[in-house]
Amino acid sequence: MKQYLKLDEWSIIEEGFDSHSHEISESIFSIGNGYMGQRANFEEQYSGTSLQGSYMAGVYYPDKTRVGWWKNGYPEYFAKVLNSTNWIGIDVDIDGTPLDLSQCIVKDFVRELNMKEGVLSRSFTAVLEDGRELKVTSVRFVSIVRHEIGAIRYSITPMNFTGTITLTPYLDGDVKNKDSNYDEKFWLEVFKEAGKGNAALTVKTKKLDFHVTSVMTYEVSKNGEKLELGAEQIEKEKYVGNVVHVQAGEGEEITIFKYVANVTSRDHGLGQLVDKAREVLDQAVQAGFGELEREQKAAWGDKWKESDIVIEGDVAAQQAIRFNIFQLNQTYSGEDDRLNIGPKGFTGEKYGGSTYWDTEAYCLPFYLSTADASISRNLLIYRYKHLEKAKENAKKLGFTKGALYPMVTMNGEECHNEWEITFEEIHRNGAIAYAIYNYVNYTGDTSYLAQYGLEVLAEISRFWEQRVNYAASKDKYVMLGVTGPNEYENNVNNNWYTNRIASWTMEYTLEVLKELEQNQPERYAELVSKLKLKDEETAKWQDIISKMYYPEDAERGIFLQQDGFLDKELLPVKDLDPSHLPLNQKWSWDRILRSVYIKQADVLQGLFFLGDRYDLETKKRNFDFYEPFTVHESSLSPCVHSILACELGYQEKAYEMYLRTARLDLDNYNNDTEDGCHTTSMAGTWMSVVHGFGGLKVKDGALHLNPFIPGHWSSFSFKVMFRGARFNVKVTDQEVVILNETDIPAVLNVGGQEYSIEGMGEVRASRSVEVTS
Ligand code: BGC
C-alpha cells in the first residue's frame, strides 16, 4: 500500500510525477459521464507503462472463450467493454523533440481531479535533454450535460527558449484491449476524413457491428489571441489528425482547445453517424470551452446537492466518500435502460465492464437514495428486458421452464469465464428478485410489479422450483451443487443463503400475486394467462417454502453456510500467520476451497437482506461466528459487515470494516488499483455510511434512521431522497438534524420515535432521541 495522494476535501491531488504509480493514477483520475469514460491517460505521447482506456458504454466485444476443456453449457464468449478510439491525443513536438514524460525531467507535476466540478487537470514543467524547459497545463472533461462531448484545453509555454511547437491533435482507432483472449484487435476502419482543422473517424467492431464515430476540431491561440494557422492533414490506418506548427517565444503561452464528439450506432442510424457527430460538435464549439466548463460545474453542483456526504473532522474520510460518490455518478447516470454498472466502471478492463449481481445487491440502494426513482427503475428494467434471454439460459442448462439470469452479462446472455465459480453462483437470481422488492419497498412504486416485476419474479420462482429436489430422507427440499456468495467454496450442497433467498423469492412472488389478484384482478388475469401460470405451480412453491432445508447448528444457534461446514478446521483469521494473506495470492485454490476462510459475506448477506425477519440475537450469534473466519478478499464484503456491526452496536468493528473499503483505491489497499477502481464496491462504502452509521431503513413505507457517529468524526451528514422529498440528515454527538429540502411533507422515524417534517422544515432529535423543535 502506498499513500501518495494529497488529502483534500473536494479534490484528488497527486504532486510529483512517479512513473511507478502512473497506472494507478490513470485508474483513480478516470473521468466519465455514464455514456463514455476513460482512464487518465496523457494527451501527449507517453512511452512509459500505461494502460490506455477510453470506453463507450454498451459498446462491447464477444471475445471467443478461451478454456482448457470445453463443457456443455459453457458460454461461447466472454464479453468485454472495448477500449475504443483514443480521442484525447495531442502529440507535442518541440523543434524535433517529442514531449514525452518518460523521456524528460518532470518538475512541479500536479494532477488534480476536481470532483466538485467534474474536471481533470494537470500541470508540470518538462526539462528536455538539452535543457529547454516548457510549462504545460491541461484541463479536460467529458460533459455530463452533452454526453457525447469531451473537451480539452492544453497549454504550453516555453520557459527558456524560442522555437517551433508542433501540435498533432488526432483520433486513433487503432487501439487494443489488454485482456484480448487471442491478442486480437477488435476494430475495423469504416470511414476517415482529415480536413483543415478537423477530422472524423468511424470504426466498427469485428463482431456485432457496433460503430463508433469520433469527430474533432480545435482552435489554437497565443497568449489568448486566436491564431489562424495552416495545417497538414494525416490519415493512417484507423487514424486521422492534423499537424499544426506554431512559433512560440520565451514566455508565450500556446493553447490548443480540442473538442470531440463521440457517437455510436447504439443511438443513431449507421448512415447518420458522421453528420450527427458533426452536429453535436458544432453546437459544443459554438458554446465554447468556457461555457462547456461552466455547464459542467453547474451540473456537477446539482449532482452533489442530491448525493453529497459531508464528514467533519476527518479529511481522509471526507475525500474518500466523495471519491466513491463521484465515481458512481460518473459511471451510471440512469437515462438509458440498456446500460448497467461494470465492477470497474470506466476505469479499467477487468471484469469486462459486464453486469454482475453487484448492481442489484450493492449499487441499487445508492441510486435509490440519491437520484430520481426513474434511475433505479431503469436498472430493474434492464433485467426485465433480459428476461427472454434468462429463460433461454435456463433451457440451455436443461430446465423446462423458468429463468436463470446470468452471473456475468452484457446483453442478457451468460458470458462468465470461470465455470466452477461464477456458473454455480445461481444466488444471483435471488438478488435480482430482491432488488425488485427493495425498489418497491423504497419507492412505493407498486405499479412496477404489475407492469414488469411479477413476470421476473414468477420466472425466477419457476427456476428455483426445479433447482431444488425433494430429499425423502429429510422430508425436505435441498439444493445441491451451488456456489454461494462466498466464492472460496465451490459446488457445495445447501448453501444456507441460496436456499434462503430462493425460498424468500417464492414467498414474495406469491405475496405479489395475491395482492395483484385482490387489487388489479384484470391485470392479474392477464399476467396469469401470459405466464401460463398454473395452480399446481404456486402450490409447489408453497410446499417448497414450508419444507426448505436450512443447515443449522442448534448448539451454537447459527445457520450453517453449507452442509458440513463445521467439519472444517475452525482457525480464525487472526490466528493465521499474516504472511499467508491475502489467501488468493498466497494459497493454492485447493487449499482455499477446503479451508474455513470466507471471501465475503454469505450467511451474513442473507441476514442483511432479510434483516427484518431475524432478531438481534440471531444476527449477533451468526456475526460472532462468521466474521472471525472472513478474509474480506472481495471488496464487496466489508460493507455488509459494517452495516450489521452498526446494528449490533459493534461500533469499532463497524468503523474498522468501513475503513477497509473507504480508501481502497485511493490508497491502493489491495495493490490492484492499476487494473481499475472497485466501482461497485464504492456503493457498498456509501451504504456503510448511510445504512450503517445512519441506520437508514424503510419500514411500512416510512424512512427510519438510527444514527451513530464514528469516534473521531465531529459530525457527518448525508442526503436521502425518499418518495419525492429530499432530506439532509446531519448527525453530531448531540443530535440528529433533518432538513427537508423540498416542499413535500413527510413522516419519519429517528431512533424509534416518529417525527412529522414539513416541506422545507427541520426536525432536531437529540441523540437520546427527544424532539427539540
Ligand atoms: C466477487 C463477486 C462479484 C465480482 C464482481 C468477485 O470477486 O466475489 O461477488 O460479483 O467480484 O465484482
Side-chain angles (χ1 to χ4, degrees), residues 343 351 356-358 407 425 485 487 599-600 633-634 636 680:
Y351 295 112
Y356 286 67
W357 75 307
D358 304 27
M407 183 65 183
E425 282 194 71
E487 293 182 340
K599 182 182 181 188
Q600 67 201 92
E633 288 181 11
S634 160
L636 298 173
T680 50

Side-chain angles (χ1 to χ4, degrees), residues 148 158 192 232 295 362 499 525 573 687 749:
E148 290 160 329
K192 67 178 173 223
E232 294 149 33
E295 282 176 7
Y362 297 90
N499 287 15
V573 182
M687 273 206 279
N749 186 300

Side-chain angles (χ1 to χ4, degrees), residues 219-228 253-255 257:
E219 284 163 10
V220 181
S221 66
K222 187 188 283 186
N223 289 336
E225 295 288 318
K226 192 170 165 190
L227 300 177
E228 291 305 328
E253 186 187 61
I254 307 301
T255 301
F257 295 90

Side-chain angles (χ1 to χ4, degrees), residues 117-293:
E117 301 177 349
V119 171
L120 171 66
S121 62
R122 199 159 51 104
S123 63
F124 56 88
T125 299
V127 185
L128 307 183
E129 225 173 77
D130 58 10
R132 280 175 302 165
E133 282 192 22
L134 51 145
K135 189 170 162 30
V136 176
T137 56
S138 76
V139 172
R140 84 170 182 251
F141 55 91
V142 285
S143 173
I144 61 168
V145 180
R146 308 167 192 240
H147 62 267
E148 290 160 329
I149 292 293
I152 303 170
R153 187 182 68 217
Y154 192 98
S155 304
I156 303 160
T157 311
M159 301 306 285
N160 58 0
F161 68 97
T162 290
T164 307
I165 296 180
T166 303
L167 299 168
T168 308
Y170 65 87
L171 302 169
D172 182 9
D174 195 23
V175 292
K176 60 190 286 193
N177 268 54
K178 188 179 168 190
D179 68 355
S180 166
N181 280 351
Y182 298 89
D183 206 26
E184 264 179 285
K185 287 188 175 172
F186 300 134
W187 294 102
L188 296 172
E189 180 181 300
V190 175
F191 169 83
K192 67 178 173 223
E193 188 177 86
K196 180 172 172 256
N198 59 64
L201 176 72
T202 301
V203 285
K204 73 168 189 172
T205 52
K206 286 185 182 164
K207 292 184 202 160
L208 298 184
D209 235 22
F210 284 111
H211 282 56
V212 174
T213 296
S214 305
V215 300
M216 68 161 204
T217 184
Y218 58 87
E219 284 163 10
V220 181
S221 66
K222 187 188 283 186
N223 289 336
E225 295 288 318
K226 192 170 165 190
L227 300 177
E228 291 305 328
L229 297 167
E232 294 149 33
Q233 284 83 58
I234 6 174
E235 292 189 2
K236 292 189 279 190
E237 198 201 341
K238 292 181 255 179
Y239 178 105
V240 280
N242 268 211
V243 183
V244 187
H245 306 284
V246 197
Q247 288 307 312
E250 192 175 315
E252 283 182 332
E253 186 187 61
I254 307 301
T255 301
I256 176 165
F257 295 90
K258 181 177 180 186
Y259 303 89
V260 181
N262 294 296
V263 303
T264 81
S265 53
R266 291 178 64 256
D267 300 309
H268 308 288
L270 289 187
Q272 301 156 7
L273 286 171
V274 176
D275 288 347
K276 187 68 204 173
R278 285 189 171 138
E279 182 190 321
V280 290
L281 185 68
D282 282 352
Q283 288 161 0
V285 175
Q286 289 288 315
F289 192 87
E291 177 56 23
L292 294 176
E293 208 180 1

Side-chain angles (χ1 to χ4, degrees), residues 5-16 25 28-31 40 42 108-124 138-141 319 323 326:
L5 301 170
K6 205 176 148 190
L7 294 182
D8 185 276
E9 292 186 351
W10 276 109
S11 281
I12 309 299
I13 302 167
E14 177 184 4
E15 288 179 338
S25 294
I28 293 175
F29 290 80
S30 294
I31 50 175
F42 292 159
D108 306 326
F109 179 92
V110 181
R111 171 160 29 192
E112 176 172 354
L113 180 61
N114 181 330
M115 302 183 286
K116 193 173 190 177
E117 301 177 349
V119 171
L120 171 66
S121 62
R122 199 159 51 104
S123 63
F124 56 88
S138 76
V139 172
R140 84 170 182 251
F141 55 91
Q319 182 181 45
F323 179 65
F326 181 72

Side-chain angles (χ1 to χ4, degrees), residues 648-659:
L648 298 173
Y650 296 164
Q651 302 192 346
E652 266 176 40
K653 188 81 202 169
Y655 192 60
E656 177 201 322
M657 288 291 113
Y658 162 79
L659 286 181

